[in-house]
Amino acid sequence: MPYLDNPADGQPGAPSAVDLGGPGPRRITVISASMGAGHDGAATELTRHLTALGFLVDRHDFLDLLPAGIGKLLCGAYLRLLTWAPTGYQRIYAATEHDRRPGPAVRALLRGARRRTLATVTPETRAVVSTYPGASQVIGALRLRGRLGIPALTYLTDFSVHSLWVAPGIDAHLAAHAIPAAQAHEQGAAGVTVTGPLTDPRFTPATEDDRRAARARFCLPEDAPLALLVAGSWGVGPVREAAAEIRDTGAALPVVVCGRNHALAERLRADGITQVHEWVDDMPGLMHACDVLVQNAGGLTSLEALASGLPVVSYRCIPGHGQTNAAALEEAGLAPWIREPDRLAPTLTQLLHGPHRQAQRAAGLALYTSAASGPAQTVAALARRPLPVVRPLPVVRPLSVVRPGVRGRTVAVPSEALDLLAAAVPSEAPGLPLAGLPGPSRRPSAVRRAIPGLPAAVRSAASVLPGAVRAAAPGRPAVVRSAVPVPGETAAVRLAVTAPRQNRRRMILMAVAVAATVSLGIGAPLADAYGEAPGHHLGALTHYLEDDDR
């Protein structure tokens, strides 16, 4: 059921539309990121459902869309920050959790992905869906600037919503539950809709026969209570401490999944933990074999356990999203969050043998039946709507007059554009970039809400005033130097424009230098454990920054 307006419903006063799709199958672009397995897992399920509905789906990894291999470098830096400096990561997360706009370095990095992201959209594509916040920021910016003329959607894979998930320009934000939907709405997200979660259909409640067969396959004890301890595909967090504490309670035998962290698996075996697994392909079967799930990140595995009828508990959560997800799951009544070690034994006992077990099972299974339509159905409804007719603003013939003292040409633009500009940008502010503002039908107040801190955020006049700007600065973005009325003409204003300095590569280099410092300075030992070369992408990055033809 929708939390706010259902984006698939028609709205009064919407622009007239024509169906441009043609008779053939329509395409949808899904952009994820290999930051762990959760974002990719949601994208895989969304792809499967959309394909069943008759769409052709193009999958892309957002890390590959960032320039010069920066994506892999940032992924490694993020992993090492989580592992070697969790307190620092917590401070960064908390400081940015409610920011309405990414910082300058993040914006510079994301701008580098716009061209490649736009290239993933074919003429047959009818919608773009993101399951990763960085990708949402990019497609939202493209949509806001008029470069993406089809619906842009975000599927919120987390149970808590960091501000980076909410991007101006996104048409709809799809949430698994009312808790993340409310958080997204509070941060100004558009088209927030509760659609339920996305999980593999193999995650279903197990019968007693399923349980016995699964335990035999995994060589697990037939009758002992089993607590499945997971830490994501990277195996991060205080997993060794949690495993030892579960074992010492005597309430359950820990069954630990380490993902791709081979070193963690070896340490656990050396600690005397008998049931240790690395990457497991048959996670539905392993969940069927166990009695309770203990997790530390609140990601996709938690939702899979709820679909399997497995009670979930959060314990020794990783910083940042791990703790905020645990708080949101607890608020939703889906998983208690154990904050103190002395509460571990009684909580496990209640979920294994007490009345809380059935209550938790029922709450988790209800998550999959409460939404009126799933994420794929909501995406499909938007993708099947006719595309709006785009009616560009009329452009006055450009003037070739150069104002004294101002570099660049002076051009005339229509008064409709002036109304938007005057409402949001002080005309006396020199050197202020002109935004890719929304169309003239939107109120100035809506423009200011869509672009918080507009005077500092605005970019690229070419998407708003194509004829005038290209005449003034062919092939280049433009910066507004001044805006004054044209004498004797009430339907036009005169803007002096000039091309900005080419500082994009400099900003990208600065941001990557920070990431490289974290990656190389903090996590070099971990890089050896994972068989990576942290400095591998720096040469490619230098080549990208020096190549003026890209």
Side-chain angles (χ1 to χ4, degrees):
M1 61 185 297
Y3 177 77
L4 294 175
D5 295 334
N6 191 330
D9 296 337
Q11 298 180 4
S16 60
V18 293
D19 191 342
L20 303 178
R26 302 174 183 180
R27 311 186 78 92
I28 291 178
T29 295
V30 176
I31 303 177
S32 179
S34 52
M35 287 279 199
H39 303 291
D40 284 340
T44 297
E45 286 309 302
L46 184 61
T47 298
R48 186 178 64 82
H49 282 81
L50 289 171
T51 301
L53 292 173
F55 290 91
L56 299 176
V57 180
D58 299 314
R59 282 280 305 273
H60 297 277
D61 188 335
F62 182 70
L63 300 186
D64 294 334
L65 301 179
L66 289 167
I70 296 175
K72 293 182 179 179
L73 181 65
L74 292 179
C75 181
Y78 168 62
L79 170 60
R80 292 165 189 130
L81 188 62
L82 264 180
T83 305
W84 291 84
T87 302
Y89 175 69
Q90 175 62 41
R91 290 176 179 172
I92 294 172
Y93 189 96
T96 60
E97 185 176 5
H98 301 294
D99 287 351
R100 291 287 179 152
R101 187 177 177 223
V106 174
R107 295 200 305 272
L109 285 172
L110 296 179
R111 278 200 299 274
R114 288 181 188 171
R115 176 177 56 83
R116 294 184 180 184
T117 300
L118 195 59
T120 66
V121 180
T122 69
E124 297 80 23
T125 303
R126 301 307 300 269
V128 181
V129 188
S130 163
T131 64
Y132 178 67
S136 297
Q137 291 289 330
V138 171
I139 64 174
L142 292 171
R143 187 86 167 105
L144 195 65
R145 285 157 176 77
R147 300 179 66 189
L148 184 66
I150 55 178
L153 303 93
T154 289
Y155 177 74
L156 304 168
T157 60
D158 285 349
F159 229 77
S160 64
V161 180
H162 188 277
S163 62
L164 199 61
W165 275 111
V166 178
I170 294 293
D171 297 282
H173 293 76
L174 313 182
H177 188 273
I179 295 297
Q183 292 184 9
H185 174 56
E186 289 171 1
Q187 300 199 53
V192 182
T193 306
V194 178
T195 60
L198 282 166
T199 54
D200 191 309
R202 296 179 299 162
F203 291 97
T204 56
T207 64
E208 187 59 32
D209 289 341
D210 293 334
R211 179 177 177 273
R212 285 196 295 267
R215 290 198 174 199
R217 286 200 308 275
F218 286 96
C219 301
L220 297 171
E222 292 184 6
D223 300 319
L226 301 180
L228 180 59
L229 176 60
V230 296
S233 63
W234 287 345
V236 294
V239 182
R240 295 172 65 190
E241 294 88 338
E245 289 164 349
I246 293 171
R247 178 192 59 192
D248 294 344
T249 64
L253 177 69
V255 179
V256 189
V257 177
C258 303
R260 296 185 174 89
N261 194 334
H262 310 298
L264 173 62
E266 292 301 321
R267 294 188 186 102
L268 285 166
R269 295 184 182 107
D271 293 340
I273 304 299
T274 58
Q275 298 296 331
V276 178
H277 301 268
E278 296 182 19
W279 182 261
V280 176
D281 291 319
D282 185 18
M283 278 299 291
L286 190 55
M287 287 189 180
H288 289 166
C290 295
D291 302 292
V292 65
L293 179 87
V294 181
Q295 64 85 30
N296 69 357
L300 180 62
T301 306
S302 301
L303 298 175
E304 293 168 344
L306 295 173
S308 302
L310 200 62
V312 177
V313 61
S314 304
Y315 184 59
R316 287 195 174 273
C317 296
I318 62 175
H321 64 279
Q323 297 180 12
T324 57
N325 283 342
L329 286 167
E330 185 174 56
E331 182 182 357
L334 295 171
W337 181 11
I338 303 174
R339 295 170 174 83
E340 301 296 335
D342 59 3
R343 295 298 306 160
L344 179 60
T347 303
L348 288 178
T349 301
Q350 290 175 354
L351 292 178
L352 288 168
H353 309 293
H356 290 284
R357 177 176 179 82
Q358 291 305 319
Q360 290 293 321
R361 279 175 55 91
L365 293 174
L367 184 62
Y368 290 82
T369 58
S370 58
S373 62
Q377 287 75 16
T378 304
V379 174
L382 274 174
R384 286 174 175 147
R385 288 176 62 182
L387 296 176
V389 174
V390 179
R391 296 185 177 90
L393 291 174
V395 178
V396 179
R397 180 185 298 277
L399 306 177
S400 59
V401 179
V402 178
R403 291 187 59 201
V406 179
R407 291 172 18 210
R409 294 183 180 274
T410 301
V411 298
V413 297
S415 58
E416 293 95 331
L418 174 63
D419 293 338
L420 287 173
L421 181 64
V425 181
S427 61
E428 67 273 7
L432 190 62
L434 178 61
L437 296 174
S441 63
R442 302 194 183 183
R443 297 187 303 273
S445 60
V447 173
R448 286 194 291 271
R449 287 197 302 271
I451 315 177
L454 182 64
V458 291
R459 291 289 185 273
S460 186
S463 62
V464 181
L465 311 170
V469 169
R470 280 196 290 271
R476 303 181 72 182
V479 172
V480 176
R481 311 301 294 188
S482 64
V484 296
V486 176
E489 299 182 33
T490 59
V493 293
R494 185 172 292 167
L495 303 179
V497 299
T498 185
R501 295 179 180 178
Q502 299 297 314
N503 61 352
R504 171 178 161 187
R505 292 187 176 92
R506 187 181 306 168
M507 295 182 70
I508 292 177
L509 180 59
M510 178 184 67
V512 174
V514 174
T517 301
V518 173
S519 177
L520 299 175
I522 295 177
L526 189 64
D528 295 334
Y530 277 81
E532 299 175 357
H536 174 72
H537 302 285
L538 294 180
L541 173 64
T542 303
H543 174 74
Y544 173 83
L545 296 173
E546 293 176 350
D547 185 358
D548 292 333
D549 296 328
R550 287 187 77 103

